[in-house]
Amino acid sequence: MAGPYRQLYTEFWSDPKVVDSFSPEDKYFYIYLMTNEHTNQCGIYQISLKQIAFDTGYAPETVKSLIDRFQGYLKRIRYNPETREMAILNWAKYNYPEKTADNRFQCIANELRGVNDKSLIFLVLAHAKQEIQTALGYSDTNAGHDDNNTPTEGSSKPLHSPLEAPSKPLGEEEEGKEEQEGGYARAREFQRQEEAADLTGAHFKIANTWYHRFNELTGITTMPDERANLASKKVLEFLGGNLNLAMKAIDFYFENWRDLWFACSKQSRGAPRESRQAEFRFGSFASTDNLTELLSRIKLLPQESKKQTEPWSTAAPAVPDDELASKEQKDKAFEKFRKFKTIHPTEKVS
């Protein structure tokens, strides 16, 4: 018996966010999240981290790292580890019907009733069509929502909704109301976390950029693990949140690694520059002492070029303008030179 199938729009491959921010591993992982056998019509399904690791072949630590990345930096999913529920935030945009008359509507309504973390419902329905939002008990996107379609304090709540059971025993109405309001509160808390995630997203970018350059030079296909992500967070904190400086440090590291002792293997550090062997390790790059040394060398580079053209032993910093000789001093020096050449015409001046 054939199982259900899931649609993947061809525009996925030309989506600017995917093109600019997704690594090959990101694309593989996201396609898995949208097409695995646990997915359903509503876009919120139960799955364990152990199951994801088994299906994808990734280590559990890698799965956790990927989920953190997709929640913080890429903002494509929301995962509740307590209820083991995965929400694909853009699911409704591409997979929900536009009208309630569509046969899929009732199936979606039935599945949403079984969702334990109600805050996930609000996050997914934020991308659904207005008629679907209203029918499912989601307030107007232009009234009572913020710019990111997250419900606010003033959100209107209809009296009846397909998200609720057809009838409730007497005395459960207040409990249901508290549960719904709790869902709004969790959705608002998620929004606050999203707003605070910019720094988190930046540290993911540091780790991913470093490993992208690492893969380019070594021909290996790998990605940051949890330790690398933690180390990159410390790098960002050490740099005062300056992501641009971190990117410059990564560029310099891989363009000039033969001049950096901590990027060369121990056996080849004393060898001629061109014969030195790489020993690329993110932990070494992210070391506070090594990063300080690396940044100090960047300051010696001319602004128009990042590459070091001279050995460090002979490179000299530019002389400040206020230390250059004045016009009077130059005139005196040239006059002294002319007199010397008149008296000693055959001698060289060293």
Side-chain angles (χ1 to χ4, degrees), residues 301-313:
L301 296 175
Q303 292 184 352
E304 64 273 9
S305 173
K306 290 183 179 180
K307 293 186 177 180
Q308 179 67 29
T309 56
E310 296 182 77
W312 295 111
S313 58

Side-chain angles (χ1 to χ4, degrees), residues 210-237:
W210 193 94
Y211 274 88
H212 177 70
R213 295 296 300 272
F214 171 83
N215 292 342
E216 283 184 334
L217 278 181
T218 62
I220 299 173
T221 301
T222 187
M223 61 184 304
D225 56 14
E226 187 61 26
R227 288 188 301 174
N229 286 324
L230 290 174
S232 64
K233 185 179 292 186
K234 293 180 180 179
V235 167
L236 194 62
E237 292 173 353

